[in-house]
Amino acid sequence: MTEELSDYIAQFLAGLEADGHLSDPLWKQAFGAVPRHVFLPSFFLSLPDGRWQAIDTTHPAYWRMVYSNTTLTTQLDGAVGPDPDDGTLSGTPTSSSTQPGLMALMLDALRLSGGELVLEIGTGTGYNAALLAHRVGAPNVTSVEVDPGVAKLARQRLSSLGDWPSVVTTDGGRGWRDNGPYDRLIATVSVPTVPPAWLEQVRDGGVIVASLWRDLGGGPLVRLEVNGGSAQGFFLSEAGSFMPVRTCLQVPTPLSTALTQTGSRRQTRHSSTVLHHPDAGLWLALRVQSANWLGFTPDGGNEQMWLFAPDGSWAVVDDTAGQVEQFGPRELWDEVEAVYDRWREMGTPTRDRLGLTVTNAGGHRIWLDSPDAVVWNEIVA
Ligand SMILES: C[S@@+](CC[C@H](N)C(=O)[O-])C[C@H]1O[C@@H](n2cnc3c(N)ncnc32)[C@H](O)[C@@H]1O
């Protein structure tokens, strides 16, 4: 390792530690030993205009970016990889190397002691699988990836480091029975509901750490203990967002359609910032399903926050005027304000007081402090 590289890695570790992400010395050792750059010979940098520029090792900021606490996108639209000859591109990220601080948070939540059998859902670059392999031994790690091209690159990069975990190309929703039952399952791609296959493939007493996909965001990360075909546990105290599994993106009403319609107006009771509240935001994302939001400022007008649903409903909140306009079968802003009121009536609980039970039948029950104190049963769209 060159002196320069070891400096970048030392700064990387110091930054993660300063942010409180590497309290376990064994994870610190793993992040210090597994070179992130091996998994990221190139990646996309997001530009202020929403486009992407490919960066590789020849870029002057390459090393600083690889060894930073940043998510680095490695694929757009399920097909396009980073190639500096392509110029700037538009597209939606479909594979990435997760923000290392978020990786550390989730890895820590697995509470490994060494030697556990681990299943990872969403191999991506393979960096997380390599960290797991460093901690529990490569033969104990299985990682599944839906995209064959992404899986192939991950296999190549993992094998260049020596012993490598098994990378299987399959839909992670089905898990991978062959190498189980597992002691731990970690999903680095978001799922709308915890798939029944995961509950079957993790042994009793085993742990699932996963991110739930909700259209409003909210960063729901959950740590569940599996028992007798069901699983339960608390949401983590920090939020974290992942891309969704490649099957659950909804197409909401386009803004251009909404602009030609007229809805009913009233004064708002709460500002649109409630959607981004660290604790209430989780309740809203879990409770107000099938609705996306978008910030928009019309020429010469006030900043607006739009909510859209696939059934054609929309709401637009103007915080400056304290007004909302709503249209369609769902009154989306009424839904948001009602959930926010409920969160306040319950004493403004922090997000880590909320828990999830995944029943044998696959249903989601949300509770506060204790599994008996059910606040609602989730109907996931
Ligand atoms: C955020 S990346 C994972 C990051 C990765 N763990 C790493 O260390 O680089 C999410 C990955 O999940 C994959 N993915 C999406 N849907 C999936 C599915 N249904 N099953 C398995 N993998 C999936 C994507 O192709 C993408 O590579």
Side-chain angles (χ1 to χ4, degrees):
M1 193 187 289
T2 65
E3 207 173 298
E4 224 184 355
L5 176 57
S6 54
D7 283 352
Y8 279 119
I9 295 178
Q11 278 172 30
F12 175 57
L13 296 180
L16 290 176
E17 224 176 351
D19 290 343
H21 292 307
L22 285 182
S23 49
D24 177 342
L26 292 176
W27 279 124
K28 184 175 172 190
Q29 202 182 65
F31 275 87
V34 178
R36 193 181 189 209
H37 68 270
V38 169
F39 299 91
L40 287 155
S42 53
F43 53 85
F44 289 106
L45 175 69
S46 89
L47 302 174
D49 66 358
R51 292 174 71 82
W52 301 90
Q53 181 197 342
I55 301 287
D56 69 8
T57 52
T58 60
H59 191 282
Y62 168 83
W63 294 96
R64 186 179 47 74
M65 285 192 264
V66 166
Y67 288 102
S68 68
N69 188 18
T70 318
T71 298
L72 295 173
T73 296
T74 48
Q75 189 194 53
L76 299 174
D77 297 335
V80 186
D83 178 349
D85 291 339
D86 288 346
T88 63
L89 297 168
S90 53
T92 303
T94 43
S95 193
S96 63
S97 169
T98 308
Q99 187 184 22
L102 174 54
M103 292 170 65
L105 175 83
M106 291 180 73
L107 290 167
D108 208 41
L110 291 174
R111 290 186 211 145
L112 296 171
S113 47
E116 287 90 349
L117 282 186
V118 185
L119 176 62
E120 181 195 31
I121 311 293
T123 313
T125 62
Y127 180 46
N128 199 53
L131 288 163
L132 283 166
H134 187 272
R135 199 56 210 275
V136 297
N140 288 351
V141 179
T142 304
S143 183
V144 303
E145 167 61 52
V146 76
D147 184 315
V150 170
K152 187 174 167 198
L153 286 175
R155 271 185 216 109
Q156 283 168 4
R157 289 163 188 165
L158 283 162
S159 64
S160 75
L161 293 180
D163 254 8
W164 67 91
S166 101
V167 174
V168 182
T169 306
T170 186
D171 175 2
R174 290 203 287 267
W176 185 251
R177 187 176 300 277
D178 292 13
N179 300 344
Y182 303 96
D183 301 296
R184 301 287 186 272
L185 184 152
I186 180 169
T188 57
V189 59
S190 287
V191 284
T193 51
V194 176
W198 297 4
L199 303 182
E200 287 159 18
Q201 293 170 22
V202 173
R203 67 162 178 80
D204 274 3
V207 168
I208 295 175
V209 174
S211 139
L212 297 182
W213 176 258
R214 292 293 173 270
D215 295 319
L216 280 185
L221 299 176
V222 71
R223 180 184 195 278
L224 304 168
E225 224 176 278
V226 177
N227 259 306
S230 70
Q232 67 188 24
F234 284 97
F235 286 91
L236 302 190
S237 56
E238 287 182 60
S241 303
F242 284 87
M243 56 185 61
V245 281
R246 294 190 187 191
T247 40
C248 74
L249 282 179
Q250 304 209 31
V251 183
T253 320
L255 181 62
S256 52
T257 310
L259 287 172
T260 61
Q261 298 160 331
T262 308
S264 62
R265 285 171 189 267
R266 67 166 175 82
Q267 291 297 116
T268 51
R269 289 188 297 104
H270 303 299
S271 132
S272 69
T273 54
V274 299
L275 288 173
H276 312 299
H277 187 284
D279 300 313
L282 174 64
W283 284 56
L284 288 163
L286 294 171
R287 199 77 177 104
V288 182
Q289 300 266 341
S290 281
N292 290 74
W293 70 271
L294 176 77
F296 177 69
T297 308
D299 282 345
N302 294 335
E303 202 178 334
Q304 301 175 339
M305 196 283 302
W306 286 78
L307 287 172
F308 299 97
D311 68 359
S313 304
W314 55 262
V316 54
V317 178
D318 176 339
D319 286 323
T320 315
Q323 283 238 326
V324 59
E325 184 178 345
Q326 308 187 82
F327 177 89
R330 285 175 70 187
E331 286 175 321
L332 291 168
W333 191 246
D334 288 14
E335 289 183 30
V336 168
E337 289 194 329
V339 174
Y340 185 71
D341 288 341
R342 177 101 163 102
W343 172 75
R344 295 215 308 190
E345 280 158 27
M346 302 293 280
T348 66
T350 51
R351 60 192 293 132
D352 55 351
R353 287 180 50 199
L354 216 53
L356 168 70
T357 298
V358 186
T359 64
N360 299 56
H364 278 193
R365 270 203 304 265
I366 306 287
W367 38 266
L368 188 64
D369 297 328
S370 143
D372 313 327
V374 175
V375 200
W376 71 87
N377 287 309
E378 255 202 316
I379 300 157
V380 181

